[in-house]
Amino acid sequence: MIRTALKTIFAHKLRLLLTAFSVMIGVAFIAGTFIFTDTINQTFTDLFDDQFAGQDVIVQGESEFDVGFGGPPPIEESVLDTVLGVQGVAAAEGNVGGFALIYDSNGEAIVPAGPPTIGASWTQDERLIGNIVLREGRAPTGPTEVVIDAKTANDNGLAVGTTIEVQTVPGVAEYGLVGIVGFGDADNIAGATVAVFELETAQTLFGLEGLYSGITVVGEEGVSPELLRNNIAVALPEGVEAVVSADEAEAQAEALQESLSFLNNALLVFAAVAVFVAAFIIQNTFRIIVRQRQRELALVRAVGATGGQVVWMVAIEALIVGIFASVFGIALGFVISGLLTAGMAAIGFDLPSTTASLAPRTVIIGLMVGVGVTLLAAILPAIRAARIPPVAALQDVDVRLRMSDRRRTIFGAILLVIGVGLIVAGLFGDVLDLGPLNELTAVGIGALFVFLAVSLLSSLVVPSLARFLGWPLPKIDNLTGTLAIANAVRKPRRTATTASALMIGLALVAFFFILGDSIKASVSGSIEEGLRADYVISVDGFAGGFSPALAEELKAQEEVETTTSLRIGFWDRNGSDEFLTAVEAQTVEQTIFLDVQSGSVTALVTGGVFVHEDVASDEGWVVGDTILMGFASTGLQEVEIVGIYGEQNIVQSNFLVGLEFYEANFTGFGSDTDFVVAVAGADGVDPASTRSVVEAAADPYGNVTVRDQTEYRESQEAQVDTILVLFNALLILAVIIALFGITNTLSLSIYELSLIHI
């Protein structure tokens, strides 16, 4: 049977190559997704390993909750003396980090699309400097000197001895560029820009006077990192901890990988769609092949082959096709990974370039999916082949193994009812009880059932639909048109199955376009209703934040009535990260419509939290209740709900706090910069004059854009369009698979017609 199967494959190479291509694309998508995410994970793992190279122990603020991006709370400078006095410590030095944005020689901000803009203090002791290499110049020694990474310098023509601008929390200032550093063999840290200052200068710029972000420690020869950590931990005051640097590197890498897991999951969903469509094509192709080889297989039965042997012969063909497609699909995964990287860069998230990573898991899953899907799709046609009696070798007997039209209709109708019910339940999950399913899962399963139902039921309407859609064809070419209609009507199930594969791809593309238009309409309506400010200043892409000095400067302008600064952060809600927005409570109602349901926004000045009405309703919360909020810097806080609001599209959060509360509970990188400032012009001032003042103030900051209400609405719509382009580009793969399936089916149908005429 193996020899017979191999001969059959080589006799119909093109036919099975087209079949294999469908599987190949699906496997390539899965493999490409894993290669893409594994490469990112490896990049950042190497980054953190390099960051902690040459260090044995890290001393840092102890945090009850590991949430957000700010890192642990800072520690007092006096802790350094304590650490230096511990037995086994060879060297220890405090350091600080924060936000720093470098400008090129033309005064334009250098904004990496994705990676952060890092500021840091220079490490003096060479035993602690790790893999940092001074490529040119010297270390910074005064308040007006800076050292930057080699990639930023090389890409922007910044040379030692020149003066450059750097934006930090206090604002934009000029610094003498005195040195350029590399990180081992790398020119930068995973695509981030790095500006390094002398320690006291960095403490001032990052708002950490008298504090350290952490203390790096190296032990004496023969002292293990674990023993050194234990010795230091005994001497540390409350609220400060010592961790082995290798463990901290691993923990930070794992945290980052977990935060990027949503990307892996989203891409795997698209891969599953591609594989699902490929399964349609494979099953249809093998069914046609078995029907066309009916006499051949019957002859095999006539010479003594058992039904089981015939099943094995067809299964072996499917196995070979699956292995071939899987191997080439895994190889094609590297191309898909490259395309995904380019796609992320196109939407403004430029990932650092590195060698692609192929994990054994990727190979195993790729083979399991490719071979498994091919075998499962071919099993029914294989069983059908086994049912072919030897007498079929003498005459054209159509042996069928399928549901009757009545059973097919009933089963399809049941699937349709269940599918529609799940979709409705998912969309209105707050009304209907879904049990263990969440809303998104219910919609996904419901959509799958609907697709299967349509595939089953569509064969009932194919004859009538084919005659209706094809009626003009005989008028154009009588013979060709008549044959085309007859061939479609003759095998309605084949026609329906082939069309179903394309239907899935096109339906998903249409769904995302409709979803995008709905989101854009919602965003537009919310901005028109919710934005009371005349202008919005916001960061571009993933550029992080910008100095609060900009808002302070605008407040002093007579053309400006008021400004409202917004910042973002994460807190722990029952073990899960939750997003919140901090607003300037004194001015927010002048610039943003929150649709307050109860309570007063001004109450946020003295603390408390505003909760969106949907969350409050789901949890049964009312004004006056208290909720537990966990913060990395201050631990668990019992916070009173001081208001309920209904409009969240401007603030983009279900929870609002005042800036005062935010500053008391958030410290670290990114928490001391604004990400949006809403500006209301003064009454009686010409809008053009107000805008010119706002733009003049914002111009030095480089990484921000000033927009009026219309421009801001259009920018939000453009972001939706950009994401939709990426999603639909991924879905196009499913459409490509379906098109190859149609090509395959039509070629087999033409071959079948030629046999009929012969």
Side-chain angles (χ1 to χ4, degrees), residues 295-449:
R295 288 189 178 184
E296 173 192 333
L297 295 172
L299 184 60
V300 173
R301 293 291 310 279
V303 298
T306 65
Q309 287 177 315
V310 173
V311 170
W312 272 112
M313 186 176 72
V314 177
I316 289 169
E317 293 179 22
L319 178 64
I320 293 172
V321 170
I323 293 174
F324 172 84
S326 299
V327 170
F328 279 89
I330 292 169
L332 189 60
F334 286 95
V335 177
I336 299 295
S337 175
L339 293 174
L340 289 172
T341 301
M344 294 297 290
I347 65 171
F349 196 86
D350 194 8
L351 298 168
S353 59
T354 187
T355 304
S357 177
L358 179 63
R361 178 255 285 123
T362 303
V363 177
I364 293 171
I365 293 178
L367 288 171
M368 288 178 61
V369 170
V371 174
V373 167
T374 307
L375 285 175
L376 287 174
I379 193 66
L380 281 178
I383 295 173
R384 180 183 179 188
R387 297 262 183 109
I388 298 175
V391 70
L394 304 177
Q395 55 186 328
D396 189 17
V397 179
D398 188 8
V399 181
R400 301 176 184 275
L401 179 65
R402 58 190 186 190
M403 290 185 243
S404 66
D405 288 340
R406 181 171 178 273
R407 289 175 60 194
R408 187 182 181 95
T409 302
I410 293 173
F411 187 55
I414 292 173
L415 283 178
L416 183 63
V417 171
I418 295 174
V420 171
L422 285 172
I423 291 174
V424 171
L427 294 175
F428 301 96
D430 54 344
V431 178
L432 303 174
D433 183 13
L434 295 173
L437 296 178
N438 60 39
E439 288 86 347
L440 186 59
T441 303
V443 171
I445 296 175
L448 175 62
F449 279 19

Side-chain angles (χ1 to χ4, degrees), residues 266 269-270 273 504-520 720-721 723-732:
V269 168
F270 289 103
V273 171
I504 293 171
L506 294 178
L508 288 171
V509 172
F511 166 76
F512 276 101
F513 273 118
I514 294 170
L515 177 64
D517 288 339
S518 299
I519 293 174
K520 286 194 292 185
V720 175
D721 287 334
I723 295 173
L724 287 177
V725 167
L726 179 61
F727 281 175
N728 284 314
L730 297 175
L731 289 171
I732 289 299

Side-chain angles (χ1 to χ4, degrees), residues 36-48:
F36 174 68
T37 53
D38 287 346
T39 300
I40 295 174
N41 291 341
Q42 187 59 51
T43 298
F44 287 106
T45 297
D46 293 343
L47 162 66
F48 290 119

Side-chain angles (χ1 to χ4, degrees), residues 302-640:
V303 298
T306 65
Q309 287 177 315
V310 173
V311 170
W312 272 112
M313 186 176 72
V314 177
I316 289 169
E317 293 179 22
L319 178 64
I320 293 172
V321 170
I323 293 174
F324 172 84
S326 299
V327 170
F328 279 89
I330 292 169
L332 189 60
F334 286 95
V335 177
I336 299 295
S337 175
L339 293 174
L340 289 172
T341 301
M344 294 297 290
I347 65 171
F349 196 86
D350 194 8
L351 298 168
S353 59
T354 187
T355 304
S357 177
L358 179 63
R361 178 255 285 123
T362 303
V363 177
I364 293 171
I365 293 178
L367 288 171
M368 288 178 61
V369 170
V371 174
V373 167
T374 307
L375 285 175
L376 287 174
I379 193 66
L380 281 178
I383 295 173
R384 180 183 179 188
R387 297 262 183 109
I388 298 175
V391 70
L394 304 177
Q395 55 186 328
D396 189 17
V397 179
D398 188 8
V399 181
R400 301 176 184 275
L401 179 65
R402 58 190 186 190
M403 290 185 243
S404 66
D405 288 340
R406 181 171 178 273
R407 289 175 60 194
R408 187 182 181 95
T409 302
I410 293 173
F411 187 55
I414 292 173
L415 283 178
L416 183 63
V417 171
I418 295 174
V420 171
L422 285 172
I423 291 174
V424 171
L427 294 175
F428 301 96
D430 54 344
V431 178
L432 303 174
D433 183 13
L434 295 173
L437 296 178
N438 60 39
E439 288 86 347
L440 186 59
T441 303
V443 171
I445 296 175
L448 175 62
F449 279 19
V450 169
F451 284 137
L452 292 174
V454 171
S455 178
L456 290 171
L457 298 174
S458 57
S459 62
L460 302 177
V461 300
V462 162
S464 300
L465 191 60
R467 293 187 182 98
F468 173 74
L469 295 176
W471 70 266
L473 297 179
K475 301 181 184 302
I476 300 173
D477 187 325
N478 184 49
L479 178 60
T480 303
T482 301
L483 287 175
I485 296 171
N487 194 40
V489 172
R490 185 170 59 88
K491 299 289 185 181
R493 297 186 184 184
R494 177 192 305 175
T495 304
T497 302
T498 305
S500 295
L502 184 60
M503 175 196 70
I504 293 171
L506 294 178
L508 288 171
V509 172
F511 166 76
F512 276 101
F513 273 118
I514 294 170
L515 177 64
D517 288 339
S518 299
I519 293 174
K520 286 194 292 185
S522 175
V523 169
S524 297
S526 297
I527 292 175
E528 289 177 0
E529 181 179 358
L531 188 59
R532 292 171 172 169
D534 298 303
Y535 303 101
V536 175
I537 304 172
S538 58
V539 293
D540 297 323
F542 300 94
F546 54 94
S547 170
L550 174 55
E552 294 302 318
E553 180 181 347
L554 287 173
K555 288 181 187 295
Q557 304 297 321
E558 61 181 16
E559 292 86 355
V560 174
E561 178 67 27
T562 191
T563 68
T564 300
S565 297
L566 279 70
R567 300 182 190 176
I568 56 176
F570 291 88
W571 58 282
D572 182 273
R573 180 185 177 192
N574 299 325
S576 299
D577 285 8
E578 188 77 49
F579 181 74
L580 63 76
T581 298
V583 299
E584 208 166 350
Q586 300 92 330
T587 65
V588 65
E589 289 191 293
Q590 296 174 256
T591 57
I592 298 172
F593 173 66
L594 295 175
D595 189 20
V596 176
Q597 308 290 314
S598 58
S600 172
V601 177
T602 55
L604 291 176
V605 174
T606 56
V609 61
F610 256 54
V611 180
H612 188 263
E613 60 180 348
D614 290 344
V615 177
S617 176
D618 292 342
E619 299 292 341
W621 293 338
V622 296
V623 172
D625 288 348
T626 57
I627 60 175
L628 292 176
M629 303 179 72
F631 302 100
S633 295
T634 56
L636 196 63
Q637 304 286 325
E638 195 172 79
V639 184
E640 182 183 358

